[in-house]
Amino acid sequence: MAEEHGSAQNPQEQTTESNEPRLHMQTIYAKDISLETPNSPEIFLEEYTPDMKVSLGNGVKELQNDAYEADLQVTVTATVGEKTAFIAEVKYGGVYNISGYDKATIAKILRTFCPEQLFPYVREAISELISRAGFPRFILTPVNFNSLYEQARHEAQQQAGQPAEGQA
């Protein structure tokens, strides 16, 4: 009889397994894709030597049952002289199940790992959007989200009047 119950897991082992850190990407999706070319078609008659401005945004939202949404928004604005050639904006989101980590680690995952996963989708969409508008293909350079996160954390600590880590 003991052999019949030998394959059942110890309840304590089951609890330990469920408390282990877990990170699962549930889905990735486009939230917003937009393009404005306010000075077309005249802009195509000028010499195209654009001044490119790229801005990044990362949002997070707690959902339910250890689920979180992280999103990454990139806006690329090209100007030629005083004229705007285009404004391309792409926002992708992802739903992630994260459990077994402390709040600080979850915050870091949502601001670093998650945008790293979304970045290739955003980069491809931006490139396609701009080229379909008749402009030369634009490829976003890689982004170090860990560095951006640490920089933002450091700035927040300074604004709060707290010494940065490693400083007395």
Side-chain angles (χ1 to χ4, degrees), residues 9 137 149 168:
Q9 286 187 329
R137 189 170 290 277
Y149 175 79

Side-chain angles (χ1 to χ4, degrees), residues 36-105:
E36 295 177 43
T37 58
N39 290 297
S40 2
E42 293 82 9
I43 198 76
F44 295 112
L45 301 175
E46 297 184 20
E47 183 179 341
Y48 187 70
T49 53
D51 179 25
M52 305 292 275
K53 180 180 168 190
V54 178
S55 64
L56 295 169
N58 172 229
V60 298
K61 179 180 176 183
E62 188 169 353
L63 302 173
Q64 58 187 6
N65 300 329
D66 297 325
Y68 299 84
E69 177 193 49
D71 64 48
L72 176 62
Q73 179 174 325
V74 175
T75 304
V76 179
T77 305
T79 55
V80 177
E82 297 293 318
K83 295 181 181 175
T84 300
F86 65 81
I87 302 169
E89 185 173 88
V90 173
K91 186 176 190 178
Y92 264 74
V95 174
Y96 300 85
N97 296 101
I98 306 171
S99 62
Y101 295 96
D102 60 71
K103 287 185 180 203
T105 302

Side-chain angles (χ1 to χ4, degrees), residues 5-20:
H5 299 290
S7 64
Q9 286 187 329
N10 180 339
Q12 187 175 12
E13 289 176 2
Q14 290 175 350
T15 304
T16 303
E17 285 180 10
S18 66
N19 288 336
E20 288 183 12

